[in-house]
Every structure is written in structure tokens, then in C-alpha cells.
Amino acid sequence: MKRWIALMVVLGIVAAGSNAYAKAGPIKLKVEGVPVNGDAEPIVSKGRVLIPLRAASEALGANVAWDPKANKVTVTKWAESVELTVGKKTALVKGTSEPSYETALDVPVSRVGSRVYVPLRFLSQTFGYRAEWSGDTVNIRSPLSESTQKILYHGALGEARKLAMKMGVHYEHPALKMTRFSEWWSETYLFPEGEALRYLKIEGDTVSWVEFKDGFAVVTWQAHVNEDDALQQFLQSKWKDEVGTKPKLGKGYYSYSYGFAGVQREQTEQKIDPQGQIAPINSYINTDGKISGQPPIYQLPGEVRKEAVALPKPSPSGAPSFKPGVSIVFPKGKDADEETVLQLVKKNIEALAAKDKEAFRATILNGGDYFDFLLEESVSFRFTDLEAIEPYDPETKRLNVRIGFDERKDGTVRHSSYIFTAIKDKAGEWKIASID
């Protein structure tokens, strides 16, 4: 399972030597809208924006270690790290809950004069940041869009919790590995009453305490419990292998659990009082399409949001600004077909943002009138991220591109993503067959 690994690693380091990359005019670098001062600027090489590592690292707080013999830089944030080697198109990720793995870059790590640079797309594709290039400015932003921040920090309690549970986590200490797995797989979340920005998660035999810090969900404490009775083991403080700083708890919880085995899916909600007594609230069971119970609402009856941590202030207008458009820098495709599809997707989303029905239909297989709901007057799009280009599938003869976007509908802004599926028509021309 892929995840956000926000290591804040767009980093920079001094190294000897140089190669043939040239600056394409002054480009400004900002982090959350604040200019980053330094003697290195972003550059454009072969149509791609590259970020100076040191300037970005100083603004984002990552630690950097340089190995001149190996021509390698190691970037560390919390207990997670990424190794980058000049000239290579891969990055080695370590310290997450998964084994170490390599992730691909669209261009090699580069050295320009005495500076090391990485591609702009590296931020959003690998580390979860939103990176936008507009005019002469590159702006690195929190992984949370304005609409996500509005829900997470200032939204209704149930909606904020539902969103918090979907977000990937990062680790202040080396991640504790799960050592047992039963046939019934489940996750249990315990939110202190009134809170959405701090919670406990029990998965298998591992319990984790998660806090939101600077837009990231961070695990600050973990321990092992007996998987066969994990919730009771935790409530009775019967844990072992403890790592990190144990949270100060002592009040009641809202508890949400999701589990499955075979064709059965079950969601349960419970109230846990300060003494650890459990009272069932709701159960929603789906057994091979047969439904019983009510869908969860992610909060206790009558529960009021009251966070124990300070919340960021909402925008003065009370609503985030929204300007439709496309702020994605598209890379060159690996081959002619991928390049054609990327340009096709670019034309499609530009037409969507501009509400140009003729240009939009020209990119769709057979005209695709059933996609016209995307052009409704009440819907506006701001496309922000090229999240993934999936390998061409020779069996289905399709190529998928996932694009992140902000959508405004009926005055509400949300962040999501679409998968644009391209296929060749009878004339051998690439067209978009579906947008999901």
C-alpha cells in the first residue's frame, strides 16, 4: 500500500563539480507563500523545473547528510529518510512502517555548479507536498489543500474524524512492526471526546498514538498488545515494546472500528468512559451485499467538538480563495505514446478548467457527451498535482494518469483526484475513455 511519506526532503547540499544544466531565467522559490532567501534558485532543464535542495531544506526543517565519495545525500525528517544519488533517477525510502523501497524520479538527481537539485514533481509524487509553478514562482505548500484544512481544523467533528482516519502517517521514531495477523483484519480508532486531531489506532497487535503537526499526521508513541483482545489490553495498560513519548490520557473516547473477513464487512461505533467501560452505539454490517444497521456518523450522540490543541486560524474571509485553472508542470513522457497521452490529459483538464465544451469533447472517445456533467455551471476545477502515471497495460491497451484537483461545487471546496484512462480509437488516435 502506497502512502504519503512527507519527509520534507526537497533539500539542498553543497557538492563539488558541475554538469551541463543551465538556468532558464530567475525563478522564485516560496514555502507556504513565504519567499525562501538563498543563493540558489529553481531552474528549468529540458522543460522540467528542478528545486535547489539546500534552500528548500532550510525552509522545511529537514536534516541533510552528504557523502562525497558516493555522491549521495541522505535526507531525514523524524525517523524517516530518503537517499538520493547524483545522476540516478531513483530515491531510496527508509524508516516507514513498510520495508525500504525505491521510488522512481522523472529526471535524475542533478548537480549544477556546487548545488544538488531534484525535480519539482518529486515533492508531490513521493513526499506528499503540493508543488505549484505559476509564472516565475515555485510555491511549495502543505499536503493539505485549503478545503481539506477547512474540514480538518474547523469542520464538523464527524467529518473531521473521517478525514483524519484516511490520511497517511509518519513516524517520530522507528516504526514498530506488527508481529501478528489474525484471519479477521481490523482497525480500531479511539478519539478523545470532542477531538479529531489526536487519536489512537489499534491494528493487529500494534497501538499507535497519532497527532497532527504542521499538516502531517505523526505517530509519536507505539506499543504492542495481545491481538486477540487488543482493545481491552490497551485500556488496562497491558502493553510492551513501548517506544516514543506516552500520551497523557484519562478521559472518555469515541471508538470506531472497521474489520473484514471473507465477504463480511463490519463497522462499529462505541463509547468508552474514563474508567474503560465500553458501551455499544451502532453497528453497520455488509455480508455479501446484505446490509444491516446504520452507517457510522463518527461521533457520540450530542458530542461537541473541543480540541485540546490550538487550531490554525481560518482565512479572514471565512472561506478559501478559489481560482480555476491548471498549475501542473507536465514532464516529457517516457516514450511517444506516454507523451501523447500526457498532452491529451493536459488539454482535457485545461478545457475543464476553462469550461470549454468543444475542446473538452475533442479529447474524449467518441465525443463522450456523458462526461458533460463535469462542465456544469455549479462545478469549477483547479488542477494541482500530477499524482501518478501508471505503466501501459498491454492486456487492456490502456494508460492511466491520476490528477489531483480542488473542486468547488455549490460554494464548497474539496480536494480529490481523478484517474484519466486513455485508449486508442479505431483510427489509432489516443482518446480519453473514462474519468473516474
Side-chain angles (χ1 to χ4, degrees):
M1 183 176 68
K2 297 295 182 184
R3 72 225 340 97
W4 289 359
I5 313 186
L7 304 179
M8 298 187 172
V9 342
V10 200
L11 340 151
I13 181 156
V14 177
S18 65
N19 69 26
Y21 288 86
K23 190 175 293 185
I27 302 176
K28 300 173 185 177
L29 176 63
K30 293 183 178 181
V31 173
E32 295 293 355
V34 178
V36 175
N37 297 319
D39 59 356
E41 299 172 332
I43 62 174
V44 176
S45 177
K46 299 180 181 178
R48 293 161 182 166
V49 178
L50 305 180
I51 303 293
L53 297 183
R54 177 168 295 280
S57 67
E58 290 174 349
L60 297 172
N63 296 316
V64 182
W66 170 246
D67 182 349
K69 291 183 179 180
N71 223 16
K72 179 176 68 177
V73 58
T74 300
V75 184
T76 304
K77 181 64 180 179
W78 299 309
E80 302 169 10
S81 67
V82 170
E83 293 181 359
L84 300 146
T85 302
V86 173
K88 286 191 175 182
K89 293 179 66 175
T90 58
L92 180 63
V93 181
K94 298 180 178 181
T96 72
S97 59
E98 298 293 325
S100 299
Y101 64 92
E102 283 193 341
T103 184
L105 308 177
D106 57 343
V107 294
V109 178
S110 305
R111 186 171 59 194
V112 182
S114 61
R115 303 291 177 184
V116 172
Y117 285 73
V118 292
L120 174 62
R121 183 181 167 206
F122 174 68
L123 292 176
S124 56
Q125 176 182 328
T126 310
F127 300 100
Y129 282 96
R130 294 183 300 135
E132 302 172 354
W133 183 25
S134 178
D136 64 350
T137 301
V138 171
N139 201 344
I140 302 170
R141 297 187 180 277
S142 159
L144 305 180
S145 67
E146 292 171 335
S147 56
T148 299
Q149 292 181 51
K150 185 177 180 181
I151 296 171
L152 186 65
Y153 297 140
H154 307 286
L157 182 59
E159 289 300 311
R161 283 174 172 167
K162 184 178 178 181
L163 180 60
M165 289 186 288
K166 292 181 178 180
M167 298 184 65
V169 299
H170 314 283
Y171 296 84
E172 275 195 350
H173 52 80
L176 201 61
K177 306 298 182 183
M178 286 186 288
T179 59
R180 297 185 62 208
F181 300 90
S182 64
E183 182 178 348
W184 175 262
W185 179 88
S186 68
E187 293 179 338
T188 297
Y189 297 82
L190 304 180
F191 288 89
E193 284 195 35
E195 298 187 43
L197 301 180
R198 305 189 306 162
Y199 64 85
L200 286 148
K201 178 182 178 180
I202 301 174
E203 183 176 9
D205 66 345
T206 304
V207 56
S208 303
W209 174 246
V210 182
E211 305 175 43
F212 278 86
K213 297 184 176 184
D214 299 324
F216 295 98
V218 184
V219 175
T220 59
W221 174 84
Q222 287 186 296
H224 279 142
V225 290
N226 185 343
E227 183 182 13
D228 296 331
D229 197 9
L231 178 57
Q232 286 291 351
Q233 290 280 310
F234 167 73
L235 294 175
Q236 296 170 18
S237 301
K238 294 181 179 179
W239 56 68
K240 59 182 180 179
D241 306 328
E242 183 177 7
V243 292
T245 304
K246 183 172 64 177
K248 294 182 179 180
L249 303 171
K251 57 181 179 179
Y253 301 98
Y254 161 79
S255 172
Y256 167 83
S257 295
Y258 171 78
F260 70 87
V263 297
Q264 182 167 323
R265 304 288 186 271
E266 182 175 334
Q267 300 177 71
T268 59
E269 296 179 287
Q270 302 178 113
K271 177 182 173 68
I272 302 175
D273 68 21
Q275 290 72 45
Q277 298 300 309
I278 301 174
I281 297 175
N282 182 36
S283 182
Y284 182 69
I285 301 174
N286 183 335
T287 304
D288 200 18
K290 296 179 180 179
I291 307 295
S292 64
Q294 298 296 320
I297 59 173
Y298 306 102
Q299 66 184 78
L300 302 172
E303 188 179 9
V304 177
R305 185 167 189 179
K306 189 176 181 181
E307 299 291 343
V309 297
L311 296 176
K313 293 181 180 180
S315 60
S317 64
S321 59
F322 187 94
K323 183 179 180 180
V326 178
S327 59
I328 301 171
V329 179
F330 280 79
K332 186 175 179 60
K334 294 178 180 178
D335 52 39
D337 281 336
E338 185 173 289
E339 174 66 16
T340 300
V341 171
L342 287 176
Q343 292 303 313
L344 178 68
V345 171
K346 181 181 179 182
K347 290 179 182 178
N348 181 278
I349 62 178
E350 287 175 343
L352 274 174
K355 293 187 180 293
D356 186 335
K357 184 171 291 189
E358 183 177 349
F360 176 73
R361 288 179 175 174
T363 66
I364 301 297
L365 188 67
N366 299 324
D369 288 351
Y370 70 95
F371 289 127
D372 283 358
F373 69 90
L374 295 170
L375 295 168
E376 291 178 357
E377 287 300 318
S378 62
V379 181
S380 297
F381 292 98
R382 175 172 59 197
F383 295 93
T384 59
D385 302 289
L386 175 55
E387 296 183 352
I389 304 171
E390 297 180 9
Y392 173 73
D393 187 337
E395 293 187 7
T396 63
K397 298 181 180 180
R398 297 180 176 229
L399 197 156
N400 294 328
V401 178
R402 188 169 69 245
I403 300 290
F405 63 89
D406 293 330
E407 176 193 67
R408 183 176 62 188
K409 184 175 183 179
D410 300 326
T412 300
V413 179
R414 70 182 183 96
H415 186 75
S416 188
S417 63
Y418 278 142
I419 295 177
F420 293 75
T421 298
I423 191 170
K424 289 184 178 180
D425 62 15
K426 293 181 179 179
E429 183 179 358
W430 283 102
K431 293 289 185 178
I432 293 174
S434 65
I435 304 174
D436 294 319

